[in-house]
Amino acid sequence: MTDTLDGRHVVVTGGTGALGGAVVGKLLEQGAICHVPNAHAAAPAHFPFPAHERVRLAHNVDLADPAKVDAFYASVTDLWASIHLAGGFTAAPVEKIEPASFAEMMDTNARTTFLCCRAAIRSMLESSVSGRIVNVTARAGLDLRRGSGMVAYAASKAAVAAMTVAMAEELKGKGILVNAVAPSTLDTPANRADMPAADFGKWVSLEAAAAAIAYLASPANLAMSGTLVPLYGRA
């Protein structure tokens, strides 16, 4: 294999979302074969690559269900990298957070990341591949005071950060490199609609985030592991 992603198999969870589309596009530019699990029966209409020859969409995959996650990863041969973009966001004053809402954030962000990391690592260990894993934490998962007003979200993203560093340490002898990016606000249509008065120029572009993620997932990344990469733009 070369030191590029050409011909390499890469899983992208959350690959049909706004950031996911940018990441899949960047990986396709570099020759990767992208495996994209989707929770629904079909890809959303805005996903730009439903018929691309190097995109493998898998439908009705619940990433919080260990059996479905394991079955999905078992269907991917020669896994090189696994990128975990799937997640969610909620904000509420702590006194108004219901236990179910807290649990949902932990499931959506931390549990899905854990299950996908576990399945990817099992695949890499079984095939003796020194692969790459990229998770997504958040600025509030690193700079914990920024979790004010979004305690459940911050806790779930802090868990992702902790898992990332711990797994990197555990796997360093196997050559599997585990990193995470920590975006502030991404410049997506949904965020612009939710925060119309914000200064969009301070946000992180999807292209910039996708480039960082693709680098961490590539064979060109020879040594970075256990790194939580701040993607804060001008914020």
Side-chain angles (χ1 to χ4, degrees):
M1 298 289 275
T2 67
D3 63 354
T4 72
L5 285 167
D6 193 37
R8 294 181 190 259
H9 292 263
V10 181
V11 164
V12 185
T13 76
T16 59
L19 176 58
V23 169
V24 170
K26 180 64 70 176
L27 297 173
L28 291 173
E29 283 176 17
Q30 298 179 19
I33 299 159
C34 295
H35 300 260
V36 181
N38 175 38
H40 307 291
H46 59 75
F47 180 62
F49 309 107
H52 194 287
E53 63 181 3
R54 283 185 282 111
V55 172
R56 315 273 192 269
L57 278 163
H59 300 303
N60 299 309
V61 181
D62 177 0
L63 296 176
D65 182 328
K68 290 192 174 182
V69 170
D70 290 346
F72 167 70
Y73 276 85
S75 74
V76 179
T77 55
D78 302 318
L79 178 67
W80 162 256
S82 197
I83 297 170
H84 307 134
L85 311 178
F89 174 79
T90 190
V94 65
E95 72 274 13
K96 295 184 178 178
I97 300 173
E98 295 296 332
S101 179
F102 184 88
E104 182 182 4
M105 274 294 95
M106 296 304 290
D107 281 350
T108 302
N109 291 324
R111 179 183 172 90
T112 60
T113 297
F114 164 72
L115 290 175
C116 292
C117 284
R118 185 181 71 162
I121 289 162
R122 285 173 171 174
S123 173
M124 291 173 187
L125 292 175
E126 190 175 312
S127 53
S128 299
V129 170
S130 296
R132 306 287 183 269
I133 291 172
V134 185
N135 296 323
V136 178
T137 177
R139 191 170 190 174
L142 304 188
D143 182 358
L144 300 179
R145 289 185 183 275
R146 288 182 175 267
S148 170
M150 53 183 86
V151 165
Y153 174 75
S156 67
K157 288 299 194 177
V160 171
M163 282 190 285
T164 300
V165 176
M167 286 189 289
E169 184 67 18
E170 184 174 330
L171 294 164
K172 64 184 181 182
K174 305 290 186 182
I176 298 172
L177 307 185
V178 188
N179 294 284
V181 296
S184 56
T185 305
L186 292 171
D187 189 359
T188 66
N191 283 339
R192 287 189 176 218
D194 288 345
M195 295 173 271
D199 181 353
F200 305 146
K202 291 185 176 180
W203 291 357
V204 179
S205 74
L206 295 178
E207 174 69 19
I213 290 165
Y215 172 74
L216 291 173
S218 77
N221 172 22
L222 295 172
M224 287 177 67
S225 193
T227 301
L228 307 172
V229 182
L231 298 180
Y232 296 167
R234 293 170 46 216

